[in-house]
Amino acid sequence: MKKYFDFEGNGTNYRREIIGGLTTFLSMAYILAVNPSVLSLQGVEGIPDSMRMDMGAVFVATALAAFIGCMIMGLFAKYPIALAPGMGLNAFFAFTVVLTMGIPWQTALTGVLFSGVIFALLTVTGLREYVINAIPMEMKMAVSAGIGFFITFVGLQSSGIITMNEATLVGLGATHDPKVLLAIGGLIITVILMAKKVPAAIFIGMIITALAGLFLGLVPKPDGIVGAVPSMEPTFGVAFDAFANPGEFFNVQFLVVVLTFLFVDFFDTAGTLVGVASQANMIKDNKLPRANRALLSDSIATITGSIFGTSTTTSYVESTAGVAAGARTGFASVVTGALFLLAIFLSPLIVTFTSEVTAPALIIVGALMVSNLSKVRWDQFEVAVPAFLTMFMMPLTYSIATGIAIGFVFYPITMIMAGRRKEVHPMMYALFVIFILYFIFMTE
């Protein structure tokens, strides 16, 4: 094992790798509670049960997708990077695709499957660099920041901190409501932990909030800590069901869904790889060794995750916590994956993590994603306007896809009018046409 991962060449040992893998797991373990909550549309009232995914099945799918993703990344790409269903992508799946577009979650899983296959093909054929270079840096950063605003809004809304207001559309919720106060208290605790740079602050904050909710009788009590693994029957293999009726995905709306899954996962993974590798001093001559293997690992994890029954699986920036703790090889990812596998026996605890408990995680992760705004050149109007519209329209339209579409329609227009048409990649013009068609067919 030491030889396979080249412990000596990477200046590491079993102890550092195990501690690093454990640290990464604790830093991202919140997804085990948050993902089932988001995909089951917990906290959203007045919708049919058919629109909600089974929480138990999603919990197991989340753990297994993370396990498979971490194992492939660790053993194949040999990077200390952990994977799990991505934040933002799960919100897009649940609140945009299912809730807003009205696409059945079963078909949405097919969209995730398609995006994973396309991601793999782009990686194997070497077209990934072409795609990466086609999208301007400002638009990539705007999408990331916009998703941050969106999932923060989802967290505020699901917890009751922000509610519907007939006069102003939205307004401050009932702050005297004990459950809303629990969410606010959890947010304050998590912010304090984050400010103090406590490792696994989001996970610890969620645990403290859940315990406080149990003590105050505000969240359901679990039947135990360890229990039987929930059945995956409600979600396993459902991604293939849509093939019985191809008409469900031969349309512009479905194409936009797939492109959005692909786009966000593609650049989120690339950014995470560079960030983690830089921190671990793995970049050689401005190149990332085994980059194709890492990207292929991510796409395979997305494909298997969609088959299990969860939204897009992607690389987690929380892996930097493990690197900071000493992780330098894929063995740390193997440790993280093993811990996710063991977590499937903790399913009785799911009921405790209500929307009030998970909301602080959504809000904090959203705030972290918004930091990418600093990379947008706001002094260039032709760039600033499409970037602004991209991120601002996501929460206002309650749709990540719509935000991306609006920004990508405006970008070629502003660039052409500014006399910079030669700087616009041909793919941006193709996306312009696709998104125009999206708006035409979406509003019919």
Side-chain angles (χ1 to χ4, degrees):
M1 194 68 73
K2 286 183 179 180
K3 186 176 181 180
Y4 181 78
F5 289 106
D6 190 17
F7 278 13
E8 185 176 345
N10 287 287
T12 188
N13 53 52
Y14 280 118
R15 180 178 177 277
R16 292 183 66 179
E17 294 299 302
I18 291 172
I19 291 175
L22 174 62
T23 302
T24 296
F25 172 75
L26 291 175
S27 297
M28 57 187 288
Y30 63 85
I31 195 62
L32 288 167
V34 175
N35 201 49
S37 174
V38 171
L39 295 188
S40 65
L41 293 168
Q42 191 180 63
V44 179
E45 299 179 356
I47 61 172
D49 290 339
S50 60
M51 296 181 73
R52 303 180 188 273
M53 296 185 70
D54 182 85
M55 283 193 70
V58 175
F59 170 78
V60 178
T62 301
L64 290 180
F67 166 69
I68 295 294
C70 290
M71 287 296 174
I72 297 174
M73 182 67 78
L75 296 172
F76 179 59
K78 299 182 182 179
Y79 276 114
I81 297 175
L83 297 90
M87 293 286 284
L89 286 159
N90 55 4
F92 170 68
F93 183 106
F95 293 95
T96 298
V97 179
V98 177
L99 192 60
T100 304
M101 293 183 176
I103 294 175
W105 60 263
Q106 295 89 338
T107 306
L109 285 176
T110 307
V112 175
L113 176 64
F114 274 34
S115 70
V117 172
I118 296 171
F119 192 171
L121 291 175
L122 288 173
T123 302
V124 171
T125 57
L127 289 173
R128 62 183 181 82
E129 289 186 12
Y130 178 82
V131 176
I132 288 175
N133 295 332
I135 312 297
M137 177 60 70
E138 286 80 9
M139 298 307 290
K140 297 172 191 171
M141 297 301 103
V143 168
S144 178
I147 293 173
F149 281 121
F150 180 76
I151 63 175
T152 293
F153 184 60
V154 168
L156 291 169
Q157 185 190 47
S158 65
S159 61
I161 297 175
I162 294 296
T163 58
M164 183 177 67
N165 184 299
E166 291 185 3
T168 60
L169 295 182
V170 294
L172 187 64
T175 52
H176 59 276
D177 186 317
K179 289 188 176 181
V180 174
L181 288 173
L182 177 66
I184 294 173
L187 178 60
I188 292 172
I189 290 169
T190 307
V191 166
I192 291 172
L193 293 172
M194 291 288 290
K196 299 291 287 184
K197 294 181 171 56
V198 175
I202 295 177
F203 177 68
I204 294 172
M206 198 163 59
I207 294 297
I208 293 174
T209 307
L211 291 174
L214 284 170
F215 178 76
L216 297 171
L218 299 176
V219 300
K221 291 183 179 180
D223 295 330
I225 296 177
V226 178
V229 178
S231 171
M232 291 184 65
E233 184 178 356
T235 61
F236 185 77
V238 171
F240 296 111
D241 291 354
F243 289 97
N245 184 17
E248 291 187 15
F249 50 81
F250 279 123
N251 55 70
V252 175
Q253 188 182 54
F254 186 80
L255 174 62
V256 170
V257 169
V258 173
L259 285 175
T260 303
F261 280 133
L262 176 66
F263 177 83
V264 178
D265 185 27
F266 202 83
F267 295 110
D268 188 43
T269 299
T272 299
L273 283 173
V274 172
V276 176
S278 298
Q279 184 174 339
N281 296 317
M282 294 178 176
I283 296 181
K284 310 294 183 184
D285 299 323
N286 202 33
K287 293 183 179 180
L288 185 64
R290 307 184 304 281
N292 267 4
R293 288 193 173 198
L295 289 168
L296 189 59
S297 299
D298 190 287
S299 59
I300 293 173
T302 291
I303 293 170
T304 55
S306 67
I307 295 171
F308 289 141
T310 184
S311 53
T312 307
T313 303
T314 188
S315 302
Y316 262 62
V317 74
E318 282 84 349
S319 302
T320 55
V323 170
R328 289 294 182 275
T329 74
F331 187 78
S333 294
V334 171
V335 172
T336 303
L339 291 170
F340 269 111
L341 183 62
L342 291 174
I344 64 175
F345 298 102
L346 303 178
S347 59
L349 297 176
I350 302 177
V351 297
T352 305
F353 293 92
T354 62
S355 55
E356 294 81 18
V357 175
T358 58
L362 290 167
I363 296 168
I364 294 297
V365 171
L368 295 174
M369 294 179 72
V370 172
S371 64
N372 286 310
L373 286 179
S374 62
K375 299 174 184 176
V376 177
R377 291 175 290 181
W378 296 107
D379 58 329
Q380 298 182 17
F381 184 80
E382 61 272 22
V383 170
V385 168
F388 174 78
L389 290 174
T390 296
M391 66 181 187
F392 196 62
M393 294 304 288
M394 285 187 191
L396 288 188
T397 61
Y398 219 69
S399 169
I400 292 173
T402 301
I404 292 174
I406 291 173
F408 279 50
V409 165
F410 270 87
Y411 182 79
I413 295 173
T414 56
M415 291 293 285
I416 290 172
M417 292 299 101
R420 299 173 61 182
R421 63 181 180 81
K422 291 183 179 179
E423 297 178 41
V424 181
H425 196 282
M427 183 174 287
M428 293 300 293
Y429 291 116
L431 290 174
F432 172 86
V433 174
I434 290 173
F435 287 131
I436 288 292
L437 292 173
Y438 165 69
F439 285 119
I440 293 173
F441 287 101
M442 187 183 70
T443 54
E444 281 188 344

